[in-house]
Amino acid sequence: MEPESTVTTCYRHPTVESHVRCTRCERYICPHCMREAAVGHQCPECVREGARSVRQARTAFGGRISAVPLVTYVLIGLNVLAYVGELVRPAIVDRFEMLGVGLVGPDGGHYVWQAAYPAAFHAEGVAEGEWYRLLTGAFLHLPPTEGTFGILHIVMNMVSLWNIGRVVELQLGRLRYLALYLLSALGGSVLVLLIAPTEATLGASGAIFGLGAAYYVMARRLGADMAQVNRFMAGLLLWLVISAWQTSWQGHLGGLLAGAVVALAYAYAPRDGRRALVQAGTCAVLLVVLLVSVWAKVTELTGTQ
């Protein structure tokens, strides 16, 4: 009499007959549980365990490698969405643009700040607690009613963000890139507050100037051919000078300086276990310096102690 054959089943699905073993743990797996490996097949648990033990590839600056500059696309989308919002509701500009301090009249109009103002007026701006303007202004642009330059404002900024942002993001990784962008935007707004608190400004230019500074620092750190990079930087600085008559040079310069500080930390942090700590610490210190500067200026403008 022939011995009864033993039926083997999948360890995850006991009712499913299986004759294939995981090449790593040698347990039986059914077709639903098979994960193709370099040799044979593995079970889902061994695949997850292997993924944890494999060191993630990193960029030269410590960020995770990604093939799609997702953050740049999202930032462009947010800027375009905000612009559509301006078209639908123009009051968004006055409500969220960067403004250190100003006055709103009884007629709803916006007026230049003066320390002594009639009771029918009330103050507005960062000095009145609207700190969100430090960042929201970086996602707004001149409305079409400002003439041809109104439309060109967002077009030029988004083209620049598309060209520079994708390169910088792929080198830094998404998290470091986003921190760079937001700190550059904040740096531009803070310098506007410190130097020209009564001027209303808006636009992504400060953040883009920060990306430009990072592009230059990274190219030098990687030993790239600097001829083209130097031409790009010369054009950026030339626009900084020319724009002093048309736009907020304070916002551009503030973004450039903040971006340079962050990029230097990213590029020259020690390449060991301390790198992420040094990079994050520099960003945190810069954030504190910017916020303390805002607090000090607000205190000066409002006369509070």
Side-chain angles (χ1 to χ4, degrees), residues 5 15 30 33-34 53 76 81-82 87 90 93 97-98 105 125 137 152 159 174 182 188 201 237 241 247 271 287 298:
S5 60
T15 61
C30 66
C33 298
M34 292 179 186
S53 62
I76 292 175
L81 185 62
L87 299 180
V93 175
E97 66 186 348
M98 172 54 202
L152 286 179
V159 169
R174 292 170 180 170
L182 293 178
T201 63
L237 294 176
V241 175
T247 60
R271 296 192 175 187
L287 177 61
V298 167

Side-chain angles (χ1 to χ4, degrees), residues 42-61:
Q42 292 183 4
C43 66
E45 291 181 11
C46 288
V47 170
R48 287 194 294 269
E49 182 64 29
R52 284 195 294 267
S53 62
V54 175
R55 185 177 180 181
Q56 294 289 332
R58 296 278 177 174
T59 70
F61 305 99

Side-chain angles (χ1 to χ4, degrees), residues 179-222:
L180 168 70
Y181 187 92
L182 293 178
L183 284 171
S184 297
L186 182 60
S189 295
V190 170
L191 196 60
V192 170
L193 175 66
L194 295 179
I195 298 178
T198 61
E199 292 185 10
T201 63
L202 71 175
S205 303
I208 293 171
F209 267 78
L211 297 183
Y215 175 66
Y216 178 82
V217 171
M218 291 189 308
R220 288 191 63 89
R221 187 71 176 95
L222 294 173

